[in-house]
Amino acid sequence: MLKTFFPVLSLMARILLAFSVTFLVPGIWAWFEDHRDLQWIWLAGFGLTAVSGLLLAAITQRHRRELLAKDGFLLVNLVWLVLPAYSALPLMFLVPEITWFKAYFEAMSALTATGATALSGLDHLPVSVNIWRCFLQLIGGLGIMLLVVAVLPLLGLGGVQLYKAETPGPMKDTKFTPRIAETARGLWGVYFLFSGACWLAYRWAGMSWADAFMHMCTTMGLGGFSSHDASFAHFNSPLIEMVAIVFMTLAGISFVRYFVVLRSLSLKPVTGDHEIRTYFAVLVLSTLMLTALLLAHGVYTDVPQALRASAFHVVSLATTTGYAATDYAQWPVFAPVMLMFLGCFVSCAGSTGGGIKMVRMILLIKQARRELVRIIHPRVVNPVTLGGGVLPMSVMTAVLGFMLIYGAATMGLSLLLLLSGMDIVTAFSAVIATVNNIGPGLGEVGPSGNFGGLSPFQLVVLTFAMLLGRLELLSVLVLFSAHFWRK
């Protein structure tokens, strides 16, 4: 039975080898910014991960073959469970009084680009630790497995199954180049092009090189980790917030669209996309609504200040980044609830954001409108369309099935937290924040707090919620199906 998993473990070995190189990034920063003694911890992390990969490769070297569909799902889940364990090890040595549950939670939050932190005193941590937390979000933002898809052909193995299991959104079967690996490499190229521009923009706006690098990582990954406990309130800079707004908005759009724009040298793939137009409309309308609310309740008396606060937090929460420039939980109760609600669906499919994705919300609204028309006119032909084309029923069935499981998972995980003794506001918002990869919730885990005060059981529940959200539920829950394990 174990030998049937050897092909998956063989690829896992190569992923560990590739991932081991990432430990050198904080190691380099430790050499220049921290005490040089700390670099040995990062070198040890590199060595341990690389040796693990080499040993696993030696054990499974005779069992390489093309992946089956089952193998793809199994490998994706294995990667997202194992890599956080290796990522958590440096935190155990470098963060004072941290437990394994908090370290694993922090690593999972980083790699899933959730941004829910269990740490405090970030300003006093070694620079390399904050670099590591943030750099993991850059890696996890677009998806580690997408990088693997680009590398697999070089190993003589295909990656279609992995691409389908990892790619966010309902349109997984769409290919944008003749070879899936070319698509993956193209997406990463666009991703790093935007990342470089974001880094320079933050530096230009007044951040140090280290802060600019860290916030570039968490902006493009839409993860929201910061090197400061106060997040963006630490800088209190309209210019820095404007840079964040621009690049968070860009990162909330499908990177596939940018790839197509560069290939076609035309903006039509972006300007003509119904999902992107709806995305911008929701952001603008929500910003105006929140601005009016804050002015009406006297939170701000100056229109530019209200607009600045509204725009920053609407974009931050809607794109599931989770930065905060003030404690928005203290605003009129409608405001933080609306911000959490936006984080559930606004990001576009193919972006680095979490949530159910804007395209699914559009399809659900179209399906609801179709049913209303059908009630009035039972014989009318009124198919669901998107982008001028009729969607097959299989897509709508998948969307409806996803939403059913999404609702059931959210309620089930919330009930588990309530069973553990957590209050209802914290429990429900914590699940919404982690399943949708938003980051901060409300109550105890609001923007002025963190997840560090939760019990080990509660951290385990929310760690699982982050994994569910990052892999869009079905890729994880399929492993719990008896049909999956039958030959």
Side-chain angles (χ1 to χ4, degrees), residues 301-319:
T301 56
D302 184 57
V303 174
Q305 276 191 323
L307 185 60
R308 168 189 165 186
S310 299
F312 181 81
H313 290 94
V314 163
V315 174
S316 175
L317 274 294
T319 58

Side-chain angles (χ1 to χ4, degrees), residues 360-375:
R360 285 196 180 97
M361 183 60 69
I362 293 172
L363 294 179
L364 286 171
I365 293 172
K366 286 176 174 284
Q367 177 66 14
R369 187 169 56 193
R370 176 177 179 269
E371 290 302 314
L372 289 175
V373 171
R374 191 178 63 83
I375 290 173

